[in-house]
Amino acid sequence: MRSPLTRRGFLAAGGGLAAATALPALSGCAALAAADSDPDTLVVHSQLGTTAPGSPTYLDCLDRFRSENPGLKVRNLVNGDDLAQVYETSRLARKEPDVVMVNLYDKTLAWTDVGATVDVKGYLDDWGLRERVLPVALDAWTDGAGRLRAFPYFATNWPVAYNRALLDRAGVDGIPVTGDQLIAAARRLRAKGIGPVTTGGNDWTGQKLLAQVVQTFLTEDEARHVYSTGDFSGSRGAKEGIEYFVALRDAGVFVDKAQGLTSDSMTTQFNTEEAAIQSAMSSALAKVPENVARHTEVGGWPLAGGAAHQRPTILRTYTLIGFWISPNGTKKIDAVEKFLRFMYRPDTVSRFIRESGRDMALRSATVSTDFPLVAAAAQRLGDDVSQVLLPDVYVPPVATQPLITATSTSFTRGTSAAKVRAALEAAYRSA
């Protein structure tokens, strides 16, 4: 789908931003001055470098890269959730970094289309790196015009984690695989003072879980249409999925006040065993303490009768982090090539899997032995689950944040299915 953001619109919006607001934090200010004129300095802008999963491994890899390339300096700029905004502002000033490490989501969907980053397909082939990438990841990073937006790198599995010790304490026999079993399990857990399903109903984690449940009665093609257009009322499957979500919510499946929780709240509740179940991506599973991971199993989201899927569902994506090349980066393409070749090396990729529990969009035989839940999700779920669509690359960028607001409304107990549909559709209209 072609982004609604045109080149002129990007420049106008960014120009207004630059003129009207101060940049967030010192790291953001540094990004504006990132385009070092020194051809021997490579500037990389990343979310890795502080507390993000994989940061210690990444920083150590940078040191190793520097030692192997003594004539090439590397500046590492770090931002969190505001990375896309900071990058756009620096690009408008023509002072953008050479390489950007970020996921395909929201603002970044428009970057290649408006010339903020370049099509990297030719570089991937010229450098002989295509065979390192999983074909499904190449498909996910390729836009409708056939442009490869970035070099794929991190992927993620997004299963459902079940604390078997808490389920056993509540007298729940086995992992729930149907909606009725999940409701019964939630009642037993509540009776023992244990939270059932925890989720960040006020942020992206709740948005993803809502999307997963809504797709219970949708095929992949139908889900793609619904999340591209926001037509939740015209699809019978979407309406049934929303009704299923509301039935689960009002039966007490989600923890109390889920509509106000965040991803951090969700992780804390599961890791401290206040709640027994969470839908969590690989990076969150990697943070589950060993004493909890020992009695935790991963599976899928329970299905309702008549579902479009044969088995409980999970989410999976290959667009978590990629290496984007900026227009400034093309002026230092030899340095960029050295960096990308290093990051794609099997030994480098294996380090992220072994040391950080990251799932990768690249081929590797390495297993996350120190992260058993990540390994279980990536290597052993197999035919026990069905995969539903992660809607991120189909939702229009301008609707992304309004959808999170609609998610909080959806997790508020007592909100009817019709009101949930209206809130989701309004996110597309009001954006």
Side-chain angles (χ1 to χ4, degrees):
M1 181 184 70
R2 183 176 176 84
S3 168
L5 184 62
T6 64
R7 183 185 301 270
R8 179 177 297 176
F10 175 85
L11 294 174
L17 173 67
T21 64
L23 290 177
L26 287 176
S27 57
C29 294
L32 252 188
D36 199 311
S37 59
D38 181 358
D40 295 324
T41 298
L42 181 69
V43 184
V44 182
H45 195 182
S46 175
Q47 291 177 316
L48 301 180
T50 53
T51 60
S55 292
T57 298
Y58 172 67
L59 293 176
D60 195 61
C61 285
L62 279 186
D63 287 341
R64 182 174 178 182
F65 176 75
R66 292 183 180 106
S67 68
E68 292 183 10
N69 298 272
L72 178 60
K73 293 176 291 216
V74 180
R75 291 183 60 196
N76 185 44
L77 305 174
V78 183
N79 278 98
D81 292 340
D82 59 345
L83 183 148
Q85 178 177 309
V86 173
Y87 174 77
E88 289 182 2
T89 305
S90 63
R91 171 59 193 153
L92 287 162
R94 299 299 188 264
K95 295 182 180 294
E96 80 274 5
D98 305 311
V99 176
V100 189
M101 296 174 61
V102 71
N103 60 332
L104 184 60
Y105 175 65
D106 195 9
K107 289 175 177 288
T108 68
L109 288 166
W111 281 0
T112 306
D113 195 31
V114 300
T117 53
V118 303
D119 178 3
V120 304
K121 182 169 59 178
Y123 297 124
L124 183 80
D125 292 328
D126 290 346
W127 300 342
L129 297 177
R130 178 175 290 272
E131 293 306 311
R132 296 282 297 120
V133 188
L134 296 172
V136 66
L138 287 173
D139 290 343
W141 281 93
T142 301
D143 68 13
R147 296 170 296 207
L148 183 62
R149 294 174 168 109
F151 283 77
Y153 206 60
F154 284 175
T156 191
N157 287 283
W158 207 313
V160 182
Y162 295 90
N163 186 318
R164 282 302 307 267
L166 295 182
L167 293 175
D168 290 344
R169 188 189 308 171
V172 177
D173 296 327
I175 300 299
V177 295
T178 70
D180 288 341
Q181 290 174 358
L182 181 59
I183 290 172
R187 288 172 178 163
R188 287 179 175 269
L189 288 164
R190 285 181 175 277
K192 291 292 185 179
I194 302 168
V197 179
T198 180
T199 187
N202 197 33
D203 70 6
W204 53 275
T205 50
Q207 180 198 10
K208 301 302 184 293
L209 179 55
L210 173 60
Q212 183 175 359
V213 179
V214 168
Q215 291 181 67
T216 300
F217 300 94
L218 292 173
T219 66
E220 182 175 322
D221 286 342
E222 290 170 338
R224 188 178 295 108
H225 170 76
V226 167
Y227 279 95
S228 296
T229 63
D231 183 13
F232 292 88
S233 296
S235 165
R236 178 180 176 181
K239 292 172 70 174
E240 290 178 339
I242 292 172
E243 289 167 0
Y244 179 46
F245 169 82
V246 167
L248 294 176
R249 184 201 65 201
D250 289 347
V253 161
F254 306 110
V255 295
D256 295 340
K257 300 180 181 179
Q259 71 273 18
L261 300 183
T262 65
S263 58
D264 288 341
S265 309
M266 177 190 78
T267 300
T268 298
Q269 286 192 347
F270 187 83
N271 290 355
T272 59
E273 300 191 283
E274 294 179 42
I277 304 167
Q278 67 169 345
S279 171
M281 63 195 302
S282 306
S283 56
L285 294 178
K287 294 180 178 179
V288 175
E290 183 180 355
N291 65 308
V292 179
R294 266 198 307 270
H295 48 251
T296 296
E297 294 183 14
V298 294
W301 185 262
L303 296 178
H309 308 278
Q310 298 299 313
R311 295 167 295 277
T313 63
I314 67 166
L315 294 164
R316 180 177 286 127
T317 181
Y318 297 89
T319 58
L320 193 61
I321 278 187
F323 296 98
W324 308 65
I325 299 178
S326 74
N328 274 340
T330 63
K331 303 171 187 176
K332 304 177 187 176
I333 203 62
D334 289 344
V336 172
E337 179 181 356
K338 289 179 182 178
F339 180 68
L340 266 296
R341 284 186 181 278
F342 173 85
M343 295 302 292
Y344 262 45
R345 272 179 9 194
D347 61 315
T348 304
V349 172
S350 292
R351 289 193 60 185
F352 282 101
I353 299 172
R354 287 196 315 269
E355 299 172 13
S356 305
R358 300 302 315 222
D359 286 326
M360 307 300 291
L362 307 183
R363 300 180 192 274
S364 178
T366 304
V367 178
S368 303
T369 53
D370 290 338
F371 302 90
L373 298 183
V374 177
Q379 280 95 25
R380 296 197 292 272
L381 275 179
D383 294 337
D384 293 336
V385 293
S386 296
Q387 182 177 332
V388 295
L389 189 76
L390 185 77
D392 290 7
V393 300
Y394 302 104
V395 173
V398 290
T400 299
Q401 292 306 313
L403 270 180
I404 290 177
T405 301
T407 296
S408 181
T409 299
S410 302
F411 274 96
T412 303
R413 293 185 69 170
T415 306
S416 68
K419 288 183 178 179
V420 170
R421 285 200 310 275
L424 295 174
E425 291 176 340
Y428 286 73
R429 291 195 306 270
S430 63

